[in-house]
Amino acid sequence: MTNTDSSSSQNNKQLRVLISGASIAGPALALWLGRYGYDVTVVERAAELRTGGSAVDYRGRVHRTVLERMGVLDQLRAHATDMGEQVLVDAEGWELLRLPASFMSGELEVNRGDLARVLYEASLPHARYVFGDSVRSLAEHADGVTATFESGESQEFDLVVGADGMHSMTRRLVFGEEREFRRDSGYFVSTFSAPNDLGLRDSGVLWNVPGRMVGLSNTLGKDGAMLVFHSPGLAYDYRDQEQQQRLVREHFQGLGWQVPAVLDAMDRAEDFYFDSISQIVMDRWSSGRVVLLGDAAWAPAPGGMGNGLAVVGAYILAGELARHSGDHRAAFARYEELMRPYVKTCQKQGSNAGPFLAPPTAKKLKQRNRIYKLLCGRLLSGFFDRLTTKGAEAVELPDYGRELPEMQDGPHPLTVG
Ligand SMILES: Cc1cc2nc3c(=O)[nH]c(=O)nc-3n(C[C@H](O)[C@H](O)[C@H](O)COP(=O)(O)OP(=O)(O)OC[C@H]3O[C@@H](n4cnc5c(N)ncnc54)[C@H](O)[C@@H]3O)c2cc1C
């Protein structure tokens, strides 16, 4: 492990926390734990911060409050995509209807890469980051956890947090194989930079044929594509990008509209992302001194507000650890108690993402388009917004700042619970 930043002091009395994964959940937690005075190390498998992915959105009072308390709300607003309408077109590219901005983009939409960078930079004064390494084994003993890394190094920690996404290594090492927890929808999503000839500006176009969707968008001067396809039972290796690109090509080959140009762009893209649209369902998120956060614990699928869950989860996990003076058993139990109903609501919202984005048959595609038409109509306009905002607010948010004012400015040494 080679440290790229070290600004928190080494102090035996400070709880030493290892966070695996530097995307959204990991840096959000590092920021809070660092503020509360923990000694935080974040290890990320990628060689550098990963800035790919499509735009993500936040909505409602809970998201707003947490981002504000983190001190990143204004910065994120400065990165807002200001995405306008998205036009739904038929297989030949003719306009069917226009989806209002809030329908797809929520209250505050930012490109995932901007979000990751803002959270990473905000957490830098509070944590040391190690890129290009990964946990290989975790051995818990009476006083802590010995983590051994791919680099061969071993280090002692008091707590370990798996914020390493849907294919979490931490989960595999401590809780069991991914197949025990992953619920596949039979859908897959890919995103990458792809120029378009449509003259889009702060807007997007969604194109479908049964079982497939191509979304093209332009935000903040950046062109991007999102491809979704239905292929139940398809096996893939989440680490093999060449194989993933081959799979995307196979499923879109021979289609018309802008598809050939999009596939050409995929081969050149440096920010290719691919994954299955799946959910992670677990009946517990902690075991001893190890706890899971974000997609590693509860991946909700697109539409399930995974980014909101990640930052709210980080806020609550850190707040409960501080409130319980580092007693991880009590803190993890309360974290689960507060987050479980929230995750359940969001996972319900995300459970239909694939069929909604790319209905599998011509009949279902027609039905979906009729629903879109209704939702965009005068009578139901606002209904979808209210529904998703209600989901985003379905958690009782403790005010740790009021309870623990002395800990907001850290560092504040905490002893092992
Ligand atoms: C590059 C990228 C692009 C994405 N694009 C989209 C998208 O377009 N649409 C969508 O719905 N979701 C996308 N996601 C997922 C989305 O970010 C999450 O659903 C959500 O933000 C919750 O974030 P998370 O931090 O819990 O997990 P994730 O964002 O999945 O982050 C997990 C992090 O852990 C790292 N990691 C994995 N294994 C290890 C290991 N063994 N050791 C150390 N680090 C490890 C990963 O590299 C990653 O940085 C993307 C994720 C990434 C990383």
Side-chain angles (χ1 to χ4, degrees):
M1 297 225 299
T2 312
N3 290 343
T4 55
D5 178 80
S6 176
S7 41
S8 38
S9 59
Q10 286 285 358
N11 176 343
N12 286 339
K13 285 241 155 108
Q14 282 181 298
L15 272 182
R16 297 155 304 173
V17 183
L18 172 67
I19 299 172
S20 174
S23 174
I24 309 302
L29 182 71
L31 182 150
W32 282 112
L33 289 182
R35 274 194 200 166
Y36 290 143
Y38 288 68
D39 181 49
V40 184
T41 303
V42 186
V43 61
E44 164 61 47
R45 197 183 60 196
E48 56 190 27
L49 195 71
R50 299 173 69 190
T51 53
S54 52
V56 300
D57 62 276
Y58 287 105
R59 54 180 90 212
R61 178 185 43 82
V62 167
H63 292 172
R64 213 166 36 242
T65 305
V66 169
L67 295 172
E68 195 162 33
R69 287 181 187 164
M70 290 172 79
V72 297
L73 184 60
D74 288 341
Q75 257 170 294
L76 291 179
R77 281 190 175 135
H79 286 286
T81 59
D82 289 328
M83 181 69 151
E85 293 180 323
Q86 304 224 33
V87 181
L88 193 68
V89 298
D90 66 12
E92 278 75 47
W94 293 102
E95 179 174 331
L96 290 173
L97 57 100
R98 286 174 178 254
L99 301 164
S102 65
F103 195 83
M104 304 287 279
S105 313
E107 198 177 298
L108 169 64
E109 186 186 71
V110 286
N111 287 321
R112 186 199 155 278
D114 289 334
L115 172 67
R117 189 161 294 288
V118 164
L119 296 181
Y120 167 67
E121 283 173 3
S123 69
L124 264 182
H126 306 284
R128 75 180 64 81
Y129 277 81
V130 179
F131 286 93
D133 206 352
S134 166
V135 169
R136 187 198 296 159
S137 70
L138 293 169
E140 182 164 342
H141 49 82
D143 304 323
V145 184
T146 309
T148 305
F149 297 88
E150 289 297 339
S151 59
E153 270 187 49
S154 288
Q155 221 172 305
E156 287 298 312
F157 296 94
D158 297 302
L159 301 174
V160 174
V161 184
D164 38 8
M166 194 159 77
H167 309 292
S168 169
M169 174 58 89
T170 313
R171 191 184 57 231
R172 189 161 84 72
L173 291 173
V174 177
F175 298 84
E177 290 300 327
E178 187 173 312
R179 62 175 175 270
E180 290 178 43
F181 309 110
R182 207 177 84 198
R183 309 276 183 269
D184 292 333
S185 66
Y187 279 87
F188 297 83
V189 60
S190 178
T191 64
F192 46 88
S193 295
N196 65 77
D197 303 328
L198 304 172
L200 300 173
R201 193 160 172 202
D202 297 325
S203 59
V205 176
L206 301 170
W207 174 93
N208 281 105
V209 291
R212 276 156 289 186
M213 186 205 86
V214 176
L216 294 177
S217 63
N218 168 284
T219 53
L220 303 175
K222 193 171 171 271
D223 292 320
M226 174 156 95
L227 278 60
V228 173
F229 65 92
H230 186 223
S231 193
L234 177 73
Y236 74 105
D237 176 351
Y238 72 89
R239 289 191 184 192
D240 185 344
Q241 186 170 316
E242 266 180 42
Q243 181 211 47
Q244 295 163 10
Q245 290 186 328
R246 213 168 42 243
L247 290 173
V248 171
R249 189 169 276 287
E250 278 168 21
H251 285 83
F252 285 86
Q253 194 89 47
L255 296 174
W257 191 58
Q258 301 279 318
V259 177
V262 169
L263 292 179
D264 283 351
M266 174 177 79
D267 296 337
R268 296 189 301 272
E270 287 177 3
D271 55 357
F272 177 81
Y273 167 79
F274 177 93
D275 217 330
S276 66
I277 296 186
S278 306
Q279 295 189 325
I280 296 292
V281 180
M282 303 180 76
D283 56 15
R284 65 195 167 104
W285 295 326
S286 69
S287 170
R289 294 171 176 275
V290 181
V291 66
L292 301 176
L293 172 71
D295 276 13
W298 55 59
M305 293 178 291
N307 293 281
L309 283 175
V311 294
V312 174
Y315 171 76
I316 288 181
L317 177 56
E320 292 303 326
L321 277 165
R323 178 191 258 173
H324 289 94
S325 307
D327 174 353
H328 62 275
R329 289 175 204 86
F332 293 171
R334 183 70 182 137
Y335 158 68
E336 293 221 9
E337 199 182 333
L338 284 165
M339 286 301 292
R340 258 191 198 281
Y342 191 33
V343 165
K344 211 170 160 194
T345 304
C346 295
Q347 284 193 326
K348 202 168 158 210
Q349 278 186 200
S351 60
N352 218 17
F356 203 65
L357 291 167
T361 62
K363 192 173 162 201
K364 288 189 169 154
L365 181 55
K366 266 192 185 148
Q367 280 169 355
R368 194 281 314 264
N369 290 349
R370 272 202 295 275
I371 296 175
Y372 268 156
K373 232 175 216 156
L374 272 175
L375 288 174
C376 298
R378 211 175 327 148
L379 276 180
L380 281 181
S381 147
F383 166 78
F384 182 82
D385 281 354
R386 283 195 295 279
L387 191 77
T388 43
T389 303
K390 201 169 159 210
E393 292 181 339
V395 62
E396 178 198 332
L397 199 65
D399 188 350
Y400 300 113
R402 187 172 295 180
E403 285 178 38
L404 308 158
E406 76 284 3
M407 300 185 70
Q408 288 301 299
D409 302 323
H412 183 98
L414 293 171
T415 50
V416 182

